[in-house]
Amino acid sequence: MSTIRQQIDAVRAGYARLPAGLLAHVERVVAEALDLAARWDLDPDRVELAAWGHDLFRAHPPAEQLRLAAEAGLPITETDRLEPVLLHGPIAAVVLRERFGVTDDEALAAVRDHTLGAADMPLIAKVILLADKFEPRKRQRTPVMREIRRLARRDLDTALLCWADWKWVEERTHGWASHPAHWAARVRWVAEHHADRALPPILPLDEADPAFDA
């Protein structure tokens, strides 16, 4: 079985055949992810592996992404067919497991879900998604990402929700569809953010009202 460092080296080598601009983006994401990893006490090698793997199939043409997703047995929604680029994370997660021998389920989840998010995300997945969204070039293009980056240093979950809110506004502004998987994740994040965890559970009326004991 290969070590994580060997897996990282093998994945990095895969970018030799990909556009230089994509490699530069991934390098920026790696730097951001490692910075967050240090702040949240995560294993830097596991985070680096996920960061290098997340865009391994980002540059593939749409038809190729649809073909690879079908070959990998991935579910393909109508939204995916309209925007095949959304499949590049799930494809990469399958290839990392089958071709590169990656067995770290949390790192694979980070690669799989870095574009849309998921209702349940391990800490590594949250770090990779956010690092991908606010790496330096994207902060220059979208200044609000600077504030989300600052927030991620204090509260990853709230940073995720703020990013999802920004994404929702962008989709409504431009008339874009919301991917069902992302929308389900956002609904879960909103519910968790507003949950009053310190309060006792709300009982049904017949149990909560002393009058019903009479």
Side-chain angles (χ1 to χ4, degrees), residues 111-130:
V111 172
R112 183 189 66 226
D113 298 327
H114 79 273
T115 301
L116 300 171
D120 293 302
M121 299 177 72
L123 206 56
I124 289 178
K126 297 174 183 180
V127 162
I128 297 301
L129 185 151
L130 288 167

Side-chain angles (χ1 to χ4, degrees), residues 16 38 43 51 58 73-74 89 95 97 103 125 151 153 162 167 177 188 192 202 209:
D43 182 333
R58 177 65 176 78
L74 295 170
V95 172
R97 181 185 293 277
T103 58
L151 181 56
R153 284 155 168 69
C162 287
K167 180 174 170 60
R188 174 71 170 273
E192 290 182 347
I202 299 175
D209 191 342

Side-chain angles (χ1 to χ4, degrees), residues 56-156:
L56 195 58
F57 288 86
R58 177 65 176 78
H60 282 55
E64 181 72 0
Q65 295 201 8
L66 286 169
R67 183 186 68 80
L68 290 170
E71 288 181 356
L74 295 170
I76 303 174
T77 69
E78 187 58 33
T79 307
D80 296 326
R81 294 189 185 281
L82 294 172
E83 295 185 77
V85 70
L86 297 173
L87 295 166
H88 74 274
I91 292 169
V94 171
V95 172
L96 287 173
R97 181 185 293 277
E98 295 183 355
R99 187 186 304 170
F100 293 91
V102 177
T103 58
D104 186 327
D105 287 336
E106 292 188 351
L108 292 171
V111 172
R112 183 189 66 226
D113 298 327
H114 79 273
T115 301
L116 300 171
D120 293 302
M121 299 177 72
L123 206 56
I124 289 178
K126 297 174 183 180
V127 162
I128 297 301
L129 185 151
L130 288 167
D132 180 51
K133 307 313 179 211
F134 57 54
E135 54 97 336
R137 183 65 61 84
K138 293 185 179 180
R139 293 202 302 274
Q140 293 174 1
R141 186 169 65 230
T142 309
V144 71
M145 293 302 154
R146 300 172 189 166
E147 302 306 318
I148 294 176
R149 181 175 183 259
R150 291 192 186 100
L151 181 56
R153 284 155 168 69
R154 304 192 307 272
D155 188 331
L156 285 174

Side-chain angles (χ1 to χ4, degrees), residues 163-176 186:
W163 165 73
D165 285 347
W166 169 83
K167 180 174 170 60
W168 183 86
V169 171
E170 286 289 292
E171 289 169 346
R172 301 291 79 74
T173 299
H174 296 284
W176 301 333
R186 183 181 185 276

Side-chain angles (χ1 to χ4, degrees), residues 118-121 126 155-158 160-161 184-198:
D120 293 302
M121 299 177 72
K126 297 174 183 180
D155 188 331
L156 285 174
D157 291 329
T158 303
L160 274 176
L161 184 54
R186 183 181 185 276
V187 169
R188 174 71 170 273
W189 297 344
V190 170
E192 290 182 347
H193 181 74
H194 292 288
D196 291 323
R197 300 180 186 280

Side-chain angles (χ1 to χ4, degrees), residues 4-79:
I4 292 181
R5 292 309 312 177
Q6 289 171 328
Q7 291 168 355
I8 291 171
D9 290 341
V11 174
R12 289 181 65 176
Y15 284 91
R17 302 183 301 275
L18 299 177
L22 179 62
L23 173 59
H25 160 71
V26 173
E27 289 174 338
R28 293 191 296 268
V29 172
V30 170
E32 288 288 341
L34 289 174
D35 178 71
L36 283 175
R39 292 173 184 272
W40 292 99
D41 195 27
L42 292 171
D43 182 333
D45 285 348
R46 297 174 67 211
V47 170
E48 185 176 353
L49 174 61
W52 276 108
H54 85 281
D55 267 359
L56 195 58
F57 288 86
R58 177 65 176 78
H60 282 55
E64 181 72 0
Q65 295 201 8
L66 286 169
R67 183 186 68 80
L68 290 170
E71 288 181 356
L74 295 170
I76 303 174
T77 69
E78 187 58 33
T79 307

